Amino acid sequence: MIQELCAEHRALEAQAAQLLAIVSAATPDTAAVAAMRWRMAQALFDHCNREDWLIYDRLLFSGDAIATQVAWLYRQEHGLLGPAFASYVAAWPVGRITQEWEHFRAETRILMADLAERIAREEEVLYAHAERIIARQRAAA
């Protein structure tokens, strides 16, 4: 389960790298931007839903005070990730991307850096608690 979520993280990182490569061009390729943002939005939505069910719910109802606290803090941030990406897409229609290419590039780099940081923190902290809870539940069974 956690390996699958990590694989989804690797896919999101690969998509982020592709988007960053697209925005590294001197001139906008709005079709490529739109296609990549759509793929990322779908992957992010699917991943967040799976993660919510497989990780957050398990930790929140684990009876482990530390895991519950960590899950609660991360879930509060987690709930902002999808809307932040949706706001980014909505704020940057094709016409604006073309007119404000440098500004769009900068915002894209910031958002992708935020995504990379979030992935790293989830794997280092949140998933470690999930693995500990899963191991404890298996040992008790």
Side-chain angles (χ1 to χ4, degrees):
M1 166 191 65
I2 291 176
Q3 293 82 6
E4 292 171 12
L5 293 171
C6 288
E8 290 173 8
H9 279 168
R10 300 299 78 78
L12 284 166
E13 289 169 337
Q15 290 174 339
Q18 289 175 335
L19 182 58
L20 289 170
I22 293 166
V23 301
S24 70
T27 58
D29 181 348
T30 55
V33 167
M36 184 51 62
R37 289 193 313 176
W38 175 252
R39 283 193 300 249
M40 284 191 74
Q42 287 297 111
L44 194 57
F45 177 79
D46 291 344
H47 173 74
C48 287
N49 283 338
R50 284 177 39 79
E51 194 171 62
D52 199 42
W53 178 65
L54 293 170
I55 300 292
Y56 289 99
D57 287 350
R58 178 169 286 179
L59 293 180
L60 288 170
F61 299 106
S62 68
D64 182 290
I66 294 171
T68 300
Q69 181 181 21
V70 167
W72 179 250
L73 291 171
Y74 274 71
R75 185 178 242 177
Q76 288 176 325
E77 293 176 18
H78 176 76
L80 303 175
L81 189 58
F85 195 83
S87 293
Y88 157 78
V89 171
W92 289 101
V94 171
R96 184 172 178 214
I97 291 170
T98 302
Q99 293 173 353
E100 300 178 46
W101 182 237
E102 291 305 316
H103 187 194
F104 173 75
R105 293 169 74 186
E107 282 202 17
T108 300
R109 288 184 192 109
I110 291 168
L111 186 62
M112 295 304 102
D114 290 347
L115 178 62
E117 178 190 346
R118 174 63 187 208
I119 287 171
R121 286 189 303 123
E122 282 182 351
E123 291 183 7
E124 291 170 13
V125 178
L126 189 69
Y127 290 7
H129 284 286
E131 287 175 335
R132 183 175 56 78
I133 296 302
I134 290 166
R136 188 182 75 198
Q137 290 170 342
R138 286 184 181 151

